[in-house]
């Protein structure tokens, strides 16, 4: 299984709808992933990029899950791209439909989200981040870090 993706990077989308996966994330891909990804709609107004091995693991779990899991599986498949290899320089193509749904135009935030990589419009990411910051401050204090 590919490693855990952590960190945040700023990048751009070129005219042909390509983005570059950061080298720090490319290094986390297992040999089973074969430098191949699936892109689909993410959970929070973002795009989810799964290494092929992590995608296959997620699909296997959802297939055997609850009715809710099976609905998520159906939705992930509706928005999923076909498998694509990451180019040598780290580039992958993002479908126009996903870019439109997520309001991504020329700039992106690429964030590690555990077993997948999320891609955000800078505006959506800032809104999401502010919401999480408020929730964090209400829920946790310094004692939780001890």
């Amino acid at each position: 299984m590919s490693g855990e993706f952590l960190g945040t990077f700023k990048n751009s989308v070129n005219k042909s709808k390509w983005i570059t996966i950061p080298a720090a994330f490319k290094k986390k891909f297992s040999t089973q992933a074969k430098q191949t990804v699936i892109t689909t709609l993410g959970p929070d107004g973002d795009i989810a990029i799964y290494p092929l091995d992590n995608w296959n693991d997620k699909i296997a779990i959802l297939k055997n899950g609850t009715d809710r899991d099976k609905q998520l599986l159906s939705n992930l498949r509706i928005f999923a791209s076909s498998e694509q290899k990451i180019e040598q320089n780290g580039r992958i193509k993002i479908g126009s439909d996903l870019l439109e749904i997520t309001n991504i135009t020329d700039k992106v935030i690429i964030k590690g989200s555990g077993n997948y990589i999320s891609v955000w419009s800078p505006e959506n990411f800032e809104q999401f981040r502010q919401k999480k910051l408020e929730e964090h401050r209400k829920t946790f204090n310094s004692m939780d870090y001890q």
Side-chain angles (χ1 to χ4, degrees):
M1 187 163 165
S2 293
E4 183 173 12
F5 300 101
L6 297 172
T8 305
F9 302 85
K10 294 181 181 180
N11 213 323
S12 59
V13 180
N14 74 13
K15 292 177 186 175
S16 299
K17 313 288 191 257
W18 292 85
I19 66 164
T20 301
I21 301 294
F25 288 168
K26 270 185 67 180
K27 291 177 186 174
K28 298 278 187 165
F29 279 61
S30 70
T31 54
Q32 293 85 1
K34 302 174 188 167
Q35 295 296 305
T36 302
V37 297
I38 303 288
T39 60
T40 190
L41 187 62
D44 296 302
D46 58 323
I47 296 170
I49 301 173
Y50 283 90
L52 185 59
D53 58 336
N54 291 3
W55 171 260
N56 290 335
D57 287 348
K58 182 68 175 172
I59 296 306
I61 290 166
L62 293 175
K63 276 183 184 177
N64 297 311
T66 64
D67 287 342
R68 184 175 183 274
D69 291 336
K70 291 173 185 169
Q71 181 61 50
L72 175 57
L73 173 59
S74 175
N75 290 349
L76 289 175
R77 286 178 170 160
I78 287 169
F79 295 102
S81 68
S82 58
E83 294 176 11
Q84 65 175 307
K85 281 262 196 215
I86 299 175
E87 291 190 347
Q88 190 69 21
N89 61 5
R91 291 188 326 168
I92 63 166
K93 188 166 180 88
I94 304 291
S96 296
D97 57 336
L98 286 177
L99 293 172
E100 185 179 318
I101 290 168
T102 57
N103 300 316
I104 293 173
T105 54
D106 57 340
K107 302 282 184 207
V108 291
I109 303 294
I110 300 174
K111 174 146 184 31
S113 295
N115 67 337
Y116 69 95
I117 300 163
S118 57
V119 180
W120 298 79
S121 75
E123 299 81 14
N124 286 358
F125 181 71
E126 188 55 35
Q127 289 172 2
F128 174 79
R129 192 171 162 271
Q130 284 301 318
K131 178 182 168 193
K132 289 297 183 183
L133 179 59
E134 290 171 23
E135 291 172 4
H136 179 80
R137 286 179 175 159
K138 288 177 184 174
T139 307
F140 303 104
N141 62 47
S142 61
M143 293 307 294
D144 293 307
Y145 283 76
Q146 302 300 321

